[in-house]
Amino acid sequence: MNSVFNLALLTSFCAAVLVALMSAPLIEIIMTALLLALVFFSKDDQNSQLLTFCFAVVFVLSSIVVYILETVVYPSVNGGFFQNIYAFSSQLLLSMLLLFILKHRMTVAVLLTRGKSASVFEKNYAEGPLYLLVMVLVFVDFMALMENFLRNLEHIGVREETARTFWEVTFFYDYFAYLKAVPMLLCVTILYVGLIVRTKRQPIQG
């Protein structure tokens, strides 16, 4: 077993366990289960394993952040406005982290393989679509955060008569889970398609 496979497998397994223990939404449980399955499907392709590892790492961090928010932050913060600031800000930071990791995937590859694997540095046609989908996730998180401020202007010094106009602006709040679920599932689909394309185009090399 190569080191990238071991890391991807361990991280994906931890993500699946943590998400299940946190009673996360069904979509996240499905996502982590699919990532775990994808690790086994790509057991001979370190390139695809690395991309899967990138997503699994963020899922692990997300579970840890949610636990901290629910056990430490929320009990000490009064009001949905401030709780939502922490929630949407953390989601935004995690999405930006995923974007950063994908952008610097080659650097991650060097750190994990020490340059000993050729296939991990090859171009993966899934990278472009994945980068675009993660940018969509960043956009959704950012808009949800901005909408939270807009909906609660009275908390940041705006007169209530004016702020009341925006109290019903709840699109991203109401559909946040769905707006995140679609690109997340598409990411897993693209990861699988990328693996299939690489497998059919050329023999996998270590």
Side-chain angles (χ1 to χ4, degrees), residues 102-165:
L102 289 176
K103 183 176 178 61
H104 297 279
R105 185 179 71 88
M106 293 301 178
T107 302
V108 176
V110 171
L111 294 174
L112 293 181
T113 67
R114 299 179 182 177
K116 296 179 180 179
S117 172
S119 67
V120 79
F121 297 103
E122 295 171 358
K123 181 177 178 60
N124 191 313
Y125 292 95
E127 291 181 47
L130 285 174
Y131 197 76
L132 179 62
L133 287 170
V134 176
M135 287 182 67
V136 172
L137 292 175
V138 171
F139 173 77
V140 171
D141 292 331
F142 177 77
M143 292 304 296
L145 179 61
M146 292 301 102
E147 183 187 76
N148 184 56
F149 283 109
L150 181 64
R151 192 171 55 250
N152 295 276
L153 291 174
E154 69 275 13
H155 292 290
I156 54 178
V158 177
R159 294 177 59 185
E160 185 172 317
E161 292 77 9
T162 303
R164 186 181 294 114
T165 307

Side-chain angles (χ1 to χ4, degrees), residues 6-204:
N6 291 335
L7 277 173
L9 179 60
L10 177 61
T11 310
S12 298
F13 177 77
C14 289
V17 171
L18 287 173
V19 165
L21 290 176
M22 292 296 297
S23 300
L26 179 61
I27 183 63
E28 293 190 17
I29 296 175
I30 293 174
M31 276 282 297
T32 52
L34 290 174
L35 286 176
L36 185 58
L38 194 59
V39 174
F40 288 102
F41 290 147
S42 63
K43 63 181 183 300
D44 296 319
D45 182 15
Q46 289 190 343
N47 194 291
S48 296
Q49 291 165 15
L50 181 62
L51 285 175
T52 305
F53 169 75
C54 294
F55 281 85
V57 165
V58 174
F59 265 104
V60 170
L61 292 176
S62 178
S63 297
I64 295 173
V65 168
V66 169
Y67 177 78
I68 293 174
L69 287 175
E70 292 182 349
T71 59
V72 178
V73 177
Y74 292 163
S76 62
V77 175
N78 294 321
F81 170 58
F82 296 103
Q83 290 180 352
N84 285 337
I85 289 177
Y86 285 108
F88 292 134
S89 295
S90 62
Q91 288 296 309
L92 177 59
L93 289 174
L94 287 167
S95 295
M96 291 177 66
L97 174 63
L98 179 56
L99 196 66
F100 178 83
I101 293 174
L102 289 176
K103 183 176 178 61
H104 297 279
R105 185 179 71 88
M106 293 301 178
T107 302
V108 176
V110 171
L111 294 174
L112 293 181
T113 67
R114 299 179 182 177
K116 296 179 180 179
S117 172
S119 67
V120 79
F121 297 103
E122 295 171 358
K123 181 177 178 60
N124 191 313
Y125 292 95
E127 291 181 47
L130 285 174
Y131 197 76
L132 179 62
L133 287 170
V134 176
M135 287 182 67
V136 172
L137 292 175
V138 171
F139 173 77
V140 171
D141 292 331
F142 177 77
M143 292 304 296
L145 179 61
M146 292 301 102
E147 183 187 76
N148 184 56
F149 283 109
L150 181 64
R151 192 171 55 250
N152 295 276
L153 291 174
E154 69 275 13
H155 292 290
I156 54 178
V158 177
R159 294 177 59 185
E160 185 172 317
E161 292 77 9
T162 303
R164 186 181 294 114
T165 307
F166 303 98
W167 284 356
E168 301 302 320
V169 180
T170 59
F171 175 79
F172 285 94
Y173 178 81
D174 291 338
Y175 297 100
F176 185 74
Y178 302 101
L179 293 171
K180 295 272 287 190
V182 173
M184 286 167 64
L185 284 175
L186 286 175
C187 281
V188 175
T189 303
I190 294 297
L191 284 170
Y192 179 74
V193 171
L195 172 63
I196 296 300
V197 171
R198 280 182 51 78
T199 303
K200 289 186 176 181
R201 282 179 61 89
Q202 59 187 19
I204 301 301

